[in-house]
Amino acid sequence: MASTAPHGLALLVLVAALPAAMSSCAGEDFPSGRSYVTCEDLPYLGASLHWTYDASGPSLSLAFVAAPAAPGGWVAWGINPTGSGMVGSQALVAFAGGAANSSAPAAVRTYNITGYSPLGDASTPIAFPATGLAADVGDGGKVRLYATLRLGKGLKKVVNHVWQVGSSVTRGAPDMHAMDADNLAAKGKLVLTDGAAASAPAPAGGSSSSGDGSGDGSSLRRPISPAAHTARVSVPEVVVLAVLGFLTMAWKDRWL
Ligand SMILES: *[C@@H]1O[C@H](CO)[C@@H](O)[C@H](O)[C@H]1NC(C)=O
Ligand SMILES: *[C@@H]1O[C@H](CO)[C@@H](O)[C@H](O)[C@H]1NC(C)=O
């Protein structure tokens, strides 16, 4: 039938395009040994966060992925335990080509962001002791920053986080980022427990009351996080669309 081929083609395009558009973070191909329970495409600056939350530390193992604003620039991510913006953030900054030497491997530093003054050329202590600081450069010049943070016991399960990208580094210090709308909007809430490591067997559907008995209901808060929610439902949606597409084609073939 003449009409079948265009429909089949449209369906293929649909099935191929949807997962990428809805959750590009899920396609990130990390080096072996680096894997995370969940990921979220962040709404600004083309960034994504991959993480595993271990409630027993508590600790957060993460990979932050973003392209610097220009080659040789920097990318940054942090938790702000005291506010919602940049000031107060306990930040991790990765330099695309080493901090002081553009041919050196990518480097990571920690910064306690205390104000709007320029950052220096050395790490400052942050509230969450960081281990495993590393970075590499992935597809399309994206810098992937890796770290494990030991979080305070009192830290809430939903935290304010910020992220940023900059275009240049001068004498080992990250230069100020652009002040475009997307740079200023790059902050949000992160539901740490969306990336909870499986520790105790839980009934299907993720009851919050099993395990250590803390039962804080954190898993019930998952819908707060729209991006993660989208990522989670995208595969079933695509399957439903694909099945509908096939049914439509079959129906047309048979009856038109
Ligand atoms: C820059 O880094 C490369 C690779 O690590 C090293 O071989 C080179 O000596 C460094 N140059 C300077 C000026 O430090
Ligand atoms: C970060 O800076 C603030 C403001 O100066 C200070 O109160 C806080 O103790 C610092 N945090 C760490 C971990 O040094």
Side-chain angles (χ1 to χ4, degrees), residues 28-36 63 65 134-138 144 146:
E28 188 71 40
D29 190 15
F30 288 113
S32 66
R34 298 201 186 276
S35 65
Y36 305 90
V65 182
D136 61 22
V137 180
R144 305 185 295 189
Y146 307 104

mmCIF file of all heavy atoms in Angstrom, residues 28-36 63 65 134-138 144 146:
data_model
loop_
_atom_site.group_PDB
_atom_site.id
_atom_site.type_symbol
_atom_site.label_atom_id
_atom_site.label_comp_id
_atom_site.label_asym_id
_atom_site.label_seq_id
_atom_site.Cartn_x
_atom_site.Cartn_y
_atom_site.Cartn_z
ATOM 1 N N GLU A 28 24.373 8.926 28.613
ATOM 2 C CA GLU A 28 25.773 9.249 28.900
ATOM 3 C C GLU A 28 26.572 7.956 29.095
ATOM 4 O O GLU A 28 26.172 7.081 29.858
ATOM 5 C CB GLU A 28 25.860 10.121 30.159
ATOM 6 C CG GLU A 28 27.236 10.665 30.443
ATOM 7 C CD GLU A 28 27.665 11.741 29.445
ATOM 8 O OE1 GLU A 28 26.823 12.569 29.067
ATOM 9 O OE2 GLU A 28 28.831 11.716 29.034
ATOM 10 N N ASP A 29 27.699 7.879 28.411
ATOM 11 C CA ASP A 29 28.495 6.654 28.426
ATOM 12 C C ASP A 29 29.740 6.885 29.287
ATOM 13 O O ASP A 29 30.748 7.391 28.801
ATOM 14 C CB ASP A 29 28.867 6.315 26.968
ATOM 15 C CG ASP A 29 29.475 4.937 26.846
ATOM 16 O OD1 ASP A 29 29.353 4.163 27.807
ATOM 17 O OD2 ASP A 29 30.078 4.662 25.794
ATOM 18 N N PHE A 30 29.664 6.521 30.552
ATOM 19 C CA PHE A 30 30.783 6.759 31.473
ATOM 20 C C PHE A 30 31.834 5.667 31.359
ATOM 21 O O PHE A 30 31.524 4.548 30.936
ATOM 22 C CB PHE A 30 30.277 6.805 32.920
ATOM 23 C CG PHE A 30 29.487 8.037 33.245
ATOM 24 C CD1 PHE A 30 28.138 7.955 33.524
ATOM 25 C CD2 PHE A 30 30.100 9.280 33.278
ATOM 26 C CE1 PHE A 30 27.400 9.087 33.823
ATOM 27 C CE2 PHE A 30 29.373 10.419 33.572
ATOM 28 C CZ PHE A 30 28.026 10.323 33.845
ATOM 29 N N PRO A 31 33.050 5.980 31.762
ATOM 30 C CA PRO A 31 34.084 4.936 31.816
ATOM 31 C C PRO A 31 33.628 3.831 32.771
ATOM 32 O O PRO A 31 32.830 4.074 33.683
ATOM 33 C CB PRO A 31 35.304 5.663 32.391
ATOM 34 C CG PRO A 31 35.043 7.120 32.197
ATOM 35 C CD PRO A 31 33.557 7.288 32.206
ATOM 36 N N SER A 32 34.153 2.628 32.569
ATOM 37 C CA SER A 32 33.721 1.519 33.422
ATOM 38 C C SER A 32 34.057 1.830 34.878
ATOM 39 O O SER A 32 35.030 2.515 35.178
ATOM 40 C CB SER A 32 34.392 0.225 32.986
ATOM 41 O OG SER A 32 35.767 0.315 33.222
ATOM 42 N N GLY A 33 33.234 1.349 35.771
ATOM 43 C CA GLY A 33 33.428 1.624 37.190
ATOM 44 C C GLY A 33 32.700 2.870 37.650
ATOM 45 O O GLY A 33 32.602 3.123 38.840
ATOM 46 N N ARG A 34 32.195 3.652 36.711
ATOM 47 C CA ARG A 34 31.428 4.834 37.097
ATOM 48 C C ARG A 34 29.987 4.622 36.657
ATOM 49 O O ARG A 34 29.673 4.696 35.466
ATOM 50 C CB ARG A 34 31.992 6.092 36.448
ATOM 51 C CG ARG A 34 33.422 6.420 36.854
ATOM 52 C CD ARG A 34 33.715 7.876 36.608
ATOM 53 N NE ARG A 34 35.116 8.210 36.839
ATOM 54 C CZ ARG A 34 35.626 8.500 38.035
ATOM 55 N NH1 ARG A 34 34.855 8.481 39.095
ATOM 56 N NH2 ARG A 34 36.905 8.813 38.158
ATOM 57 N N SER A 35 29.117 4.343 37.625
ATOM 58 C CA SER A 35 27.701 4.230 37.287
ATOM 59 C C SER A 35 26.896 4.782 38.446
ATOM 60 O O SER A 35 27.366 4.801 39.595
ATOM 61 C CB SER A 35 27.320 2.775 36.995
ATOM 62 O OG SER A 35 27.472 1.998 38.161
ATOM 63 N N TYR A 36 25.720 5.254 38.155
ATOM 64 C CA TYR A 36 24.914 5.989 39.121
ATOM 65 C C TYR A 36 23.479 5.490 39.074
ATOM 66 O O TYR A 36 23.008 5.074 38.002
ATOM 67 C CB TYR A 36 24.994 7.495 38.814
ATOM 68 C CG TYR A 36 26.435 7.960 38.784
ATOM 69 C CD1 TYR A 36 27.165 7.942 37.599
ATOM 70 C CD2 TYR A 36 27.089 8.322 39.953
ATOM 71 C CE1 TYR A 36 28.507 8.300 37.576
ATOM 72 C CE2 TYR A 36 28.429 8.676 39.951
ATOM 73 C CZ TYR A 36 29.138 8.662 38.751
ATOM 74 O OH TYR A 36 30.462 8.996 38.745
ATOM 75 N N ALA A 63 28.231 12.508 39.271
ATOM 76 C CA ALA A 63 28.919 12.995 38.076
ATOM 77 C C ALA A 63 28.100 14.162 37.559
ATOM 78 O O ALA A 63 26.891 14.021 37.323
ATOM 79 C CB ALA A 63 29.015 11.904 37.011
ATOM 80 N N VAL A 65 27.754 16.791 34.459
ATOM 81 C CA VAL A 65 28.189 16.853 33.068
ATOM 82 C C VAL A 65 27.687 18.145 32.428
ATOM 83 O O VAL A 65 26.488 18.434 32.451
ATOM 84 C CB VAL A 65 27.641 15.638 32.273
ATOM 85 C CG1 VAL A 65 28.129 15.684 30.828
ATOM 86 C CG2 VAL A 65 28.047 14.318 32.935
ATOM 87 N N ALA A 134 37.682 14.015 40.372
ATOM 88 C CA ALA A 134 38.293 13.715 39.081
ATOM 89 C C ALA A 134 37.410 14.312 37.994
ATOM 90 O O ALA A 134 36.261 14.680 38.251
ATOM 91 C CB ALA A 134 38.407 12.194 38.875
ATOM 92 N N ALA A 135 37.965 14.427 36.817
ATOM 93 C CA ALA A 135 37.174 14.916 35.686
ATOM 94 C C ALA A 135 37.741 14.337 34.409
ATOM 95 O O ALA A 135 38.928 13.987 34.350
ATOM 96 C CB ALA A 135 37.184 16.440 35.633
ATOM 97 N N ASP A 136 36.883 14.215 33.408
ATOM 98 C CA ASP A 136 37.378 13.870 32.076
ATOM 99 C C ASP A 136 36.544 14.648 31.077
ATOM 100 O O ASP A 136 35.601 15.360 31.437
ATOM 101 C CB ASP A 136 37.352 12.352 31.836
ATOM 102 C CG ASP A 136 35.960 11.748 31.914
ATOM 103 O OD1 ASP A 136 34.966 12.489 31.745
ATOM 104 O OD2 ASP A 136 35.856 10.525 32.140
ATOM 105 N N VAL A 137 36.926 14.554 29.821
ATOM 106 C CA VAL A 137 36.213 15.273 28.776
ATOM 107 C C VAL A 137 35.513 14.248 27.895
ATOM 108 O O VAL A 137 36.152 13.354 27.344
ATOM 109 C CB VAL A 137 37.178 16.153 27.957
ATOM 110 C CG1 VAL A 137 36.411 16.902 26.876
ATOM 111 C CG2 VAL A 137 37.882 17.140 28.880
ATOM 112 N N GLY A 138 34.180 14.349 27.837
ATOM 113 C CA GLY A 138 33.385 13.386 27.079
ATOM 114 C C GLY A 138 33.010 13.927 25.707
ATOM 115 O O GLY A 138 33.626 14.868 25.197
ATOM 116 N N ARG A 144 33.115 16.143 32.452
ATOM 117 C CA ARG A 144 32.397 15.302 33.422
ATOM 118 C C ARG A 144 33.169 15.329 34.726
ATOM 119 O O ARG A 144 34.314 14.890 34.800
ATOM 120 C CB ARG A 144 32.260 13.889 32.863
ATOM 121 C CG ARG A 144 31.582 13.919 31.483
ATOM 122 C CD ARG A 144 31.302 12.564 30.935
ATOM 123 N NE ARG A 144 32.513 11.804 30.662
ATOM 124 C CZ ARG A 144 32.528 10.641 30.002
ATOM 125 N NH1 ARG A 144 31.393 10.124 29.578
ATOM 126 N NH2 ARG A 144 33.656 10.007 29.784
ATOM 127 N N TYR A 146 33.570 14.286 38.575
ATOM 128 C CA TYR A 146 33.220 13.172 39.470
ATOM 129 C C TYR A 146 33.617 13.503 40.903
ATOM 130 O O TYR A 146 34.682 14.082 41.140
ATOM 131 C CB TYR A 146 33.960 11.899 39.059
ATOM 132 C CG TYR A 146 33.799 11.508 37.609
ATOM 133 C CD1 TYR A 146 34.823 11.724 36.689
ATOM 134 C CD2 TYR A 146 32.614 10.921 37.164
ATOM 135 C CE1 TYR A 146 34.682 11.349 35.353
ATOM 136 C CE2 TYR A 146 32.468 10.546 35.822
ATOM 137 C CZ TYR A 146 33.504 10.761 34.932
ATOM 138 O OH TYR A 146 33.356 10.400 33.609
#
